[in-house]
Amino acid sequence: MPNWSAIEASFLRQPHAQQLGELAASLARLNSWSQKSAIRELAPILLSESLLYVSLIQQKSEINNVELNQLQDLLQNWINVWDKSMEITDIASVASTWSQRVLEMSGLLAS
């Protein structure tokens, strides 16, 4: 099990743009790992990591970002129904789209 306290502390030391970049990378890992046989075991961890990142970004932000709220709700829903009849490819595809959106929000691509 990951050391969530250490992950959180490391994440909070990063500038906002890098935090968004970390979130985008976490979502992208869901897509890349969806082709691997270990995804059933790893997906809940990757989903929890992404949810933690969104929550931390939302806590620090003075702006209520509608898109991040939507992503937070989506991640929580995926975590809640993960063991049920969820299609990994569907989650991976949506996570990939969100990864791109978050990366664009970060401004890291423009620099």
Side-chain angles (χ1 to χ4, degrees), residues 8-63:
E8 180 177 337
S10 174
F11 184 82
L12 289 173
R13 285 192 293 272
Q14 298 177 22
H16 183 72
Q18 281 185 288
Q19 289 177 346
L20 289 169
E22 283 291 325
L23 173 57
S26 182
L27 293 167
R29 281 191 291 276
L30 270 169
N31 187 41
S32 89
W33 278 92
S34 70
Q35 308 302 317
K36 312 277 190 282
S37 61
I39 189 64
R40 284 272 175 217
E41 294 80 31
L42 293 174
I45 294 169
L46 293 171
L47 290 169
S48 294
E49 177 185 64
S50 296
L51 184 60
L52 173 65
Y53 291 166
V54 171
S55 297
L56 293 172
I57 291 167
Q58 292 286 71
Q59 287 174 15
K60 280 184 70 176
S61 178
E62 292 111 28
I63 300 168

Side-chain angles (χ1 to χ4, degrees), residues 48-97:
S48 294
E49 177 185 64
S50 296
L51 184 60
L52 173 65
Y53 291 166
V54 171
S55 297
L56 293 172
I57 291 167
Q58 292 286 71
Q59 287 174 15
K60 280 184 70 176
S61 178
E62 292 111 28
I63 300 168
N64 186 7
N65 188 306
V66 173
E67 282 189 298
L68 289 178
N69 286 339
Q70 291 171 348
L71 177 56
Q72 189 172 28
D73 291 344
L74 182 64
L75 290 166
Q76 187 61 61
N77 183 51
W78 285 345
I79 289 170
N80 291 341
V81 298
W82 178 251
D83 287 332
K84 296 175 181 72
S85 62
M86 293 296 294
E87 283 295 319
I88 292 170
T89 53
D90 292 342
I91 288 176
S93 174
V94 174
S96 179
T97 301

